[in-house]
Amino acid sequence: MAEMEVRILQQIIEASTAGELEHVRIKYLGRKGEISALLKNIGNLAPEQRPAFGAAVNALRNKVSEMIASRKDELDREALEQSLLRDAIDVSLPGEYFEVGGLHPLTKSLREITSILSGMGFTVYESRETETDEMNFVKLNIAQGHPARDMQETFYLTETTLMRTHTSPGQIRGMLALEGRLPVRFIVPGRVYRRDPTDASHHPVFFQVEGLAIDVDVTFKQLRGVISTLMNRFFGQDVRIRLRPSYFPFTEPSCEVDISCVFCRGEGCSVCGGSGYLEVAGAGMVHPQVLLNGGYDPDKVSGFAFGFGLDRLAMLKYGIDDIRLLYGNDKRFLSQFRGL
Ligand code: DAH
């Protein structure tokens, strides 16, 4: 019987599937199995041999059942492990990749400027990019043959229409839209077009932000206050502004707006050409004729206007040294502003 036990245990261990193991179980423990056959044989033995034989067979049967049960556990665990391995999700597979976009530095700058000025009561007037010669020049006091046209002689679409050379015609259109109502307080942001040579600081398309405020008793001092507040909020409190007398046909008096150089803080460097200042805008008190052209009475109201170069502001803010980068659509450049 010991020999039989060894043989059975061997077969249990060798069973490598639940099916094979079941086979072994039936072979020995089944109703017609070998161990059951031993028990049936018990009647052929001498009576005094029976108890010992019966006990031995029972012990064998118990042992075999136990071995089969534990082998069954083992096989079940192996099968489970294998199915887990087989059905595993390969989490190392690269997922689908979406590049995160970001706002263009010009868009960021314009949004910030719009937000600062809207805090001071300015709304946004979206004017148009194709203009009439009349609006772009004549209504702004720049008559046919006026020398101020030379700087802006530009992309004509027909004899009398052109791509606007500045956002100033938006002043006239905005005023006319308000039909004499007060106060007038809006900005006109947008693209302008000039036949300029293209270099690090010039591009045939660029952006301006025009501003116009008209009311009874609007003063030059208010102009200065709005401009310095805007510059300080945009560039920081340590930036100083300087107004230099200048000439524009549509303002009187007129000035250029300089800010202390944001790179050298006014000490003089290559960006500001050693002067310590950078020009960022033109401005002035709205010329009486321009008020009239917009439907306002210069004897009753006064106004100020300004025109910032948005590209210049963005370049100074983000340390961009070539305007062409703003229009190149190069992702290596643009991606640098993603999180800013
Ligand atoms: N339109 C002028 C330009 O493009 C800039 C400018 C100057 C706008 C003075 C203004 C202003 O509103 O008052 O050069």
Side-chain angles (χ1 to χ4, degrees), residues 110 113-114 117 122-126 185-189 209-212 306:
L110 180 55
I113 283 165
T114 304
L117 286 168
F122 287 82
T123 54
V124 176
Y125 179 71
E126 300 249 16
R185 219 180 283 148
F186 61 80
I187 60 173
V188 188
V209 184
E210 193 84 14
L212 181 68
F306 54 80

Side-chain angles (χ1 to χ4, degrees), residues 220-244 255-262 276-281 283 306 308 313:
F220 197 90
K221 205 163 138 183
Q222 292 168 357
L223 168 63
R224 195 184 198 292
V226 166
I227 286 178
S228 63
T229 303
L230 173 60
M231 290 296 95
N232 283 142
R233 298 235 169 108
F234 189 71
F235 285 115
Q237 288 303 326
D238 48 345
V239 163
R240 300 182 306 280
I241 74 156
R242 177 176 84 174
L243 304 182
R244 256 182 310 117
C255 61
E256 308 267 1
V257 179
D258 297 339
I259 58 168
S260 55
C261 180
V262 292
Y277 282 93
L278 299 160
E279 187 185 319
V280 290
F306 54 80
F308 279 90
L313 297 180

Side-chain angles (χ1 to χ4, degrees), residues 136-312:
N136 194 79
F137 294 122
V138 180
K139 287 274 199 280
L140 292 166
N141 256 352
I142 314 174
Q144 281 284 352
H146 192 291
R149 284 190 180 215
D150 290 353
M151 288 193 295
Q152 305 191 357
E153 211 68 82
T154 185
F155 299 113
Y156 274 85
L157 302 168
T158 67
E159 280 290 305
T160 55
T161 56
L162 71 162
M163 301 309 290
R164 67 178 174 194
T165 63
H166 51 176
T167 44
S168 301
Q171 290 187 31
I172 305 290
R173 291 195 182 274
M175 277 190 271
L176 292 175
L178 284 170
E179 298 176 322
R181 287 191 296 276
L182 292 173
V184 176
R185 219 180 283 148
F186 61 80
I187 60 173
V188 188
R191 285 186 184 79
V192 301
Y193 302 80
R194 286 187 202 176
R195 205 193 56 196
D196 276 344
T198 304
D199 59 30
S201 50
H202 296 87
H203 194 263
V205 185
F206 59 102
F207 279 79
Q208 289 186 333
V209 184
E210 193 84 14
L212 181 68
I214 301 170
D215 207 342
V216 284
D217 288 336
V218 165
T219 64
F220 197 90
K221 205 163 138 183
Q222 292 168 357
L223 168 63
R224 195 184 198 292
V226 166
I227 286 178
S228 63
T229 303
L230 173 60
M231 290 296 95
N232 283 142
R233 298 235 169 108
F234 189 71
F235 285 115
Q237 288 303 326
D238 48 345
V239 163
R240 300 182 306 280
I241 74 156
R242 177 176 84 174
L243 304 182
R244 256 182 310 117
S246 185
Y247 171 76
F248 296 102
F250 36 90
T251 43
E252 177 59 33
S254 305
C255 61
E256 308 267 1
V257 179
D258 297 339
I259 58 168
S260 55
C261 180
V262 292
F263 294 104
C264 64
R265 293 171 187 275
E267 297 197 348
C269 66
S270 62
V271 179
C272 59
S275 73
Y277 282 93
L278 299 160
E279 187 185 319
V280 290
M285 300 307 291
V286 183
H287 192 286
Q289 186 59 49
V290 173
L291 288 174
L292 276 175
N293 294 344
Y296 287 84
D297 182 348
D299 290 332
K300 297 202 172 108
V301 297
S302 56
F304 65 72
F306 54 80
F308 279 90
L310 181 67
D311 306 72
R312 194 86 204 276

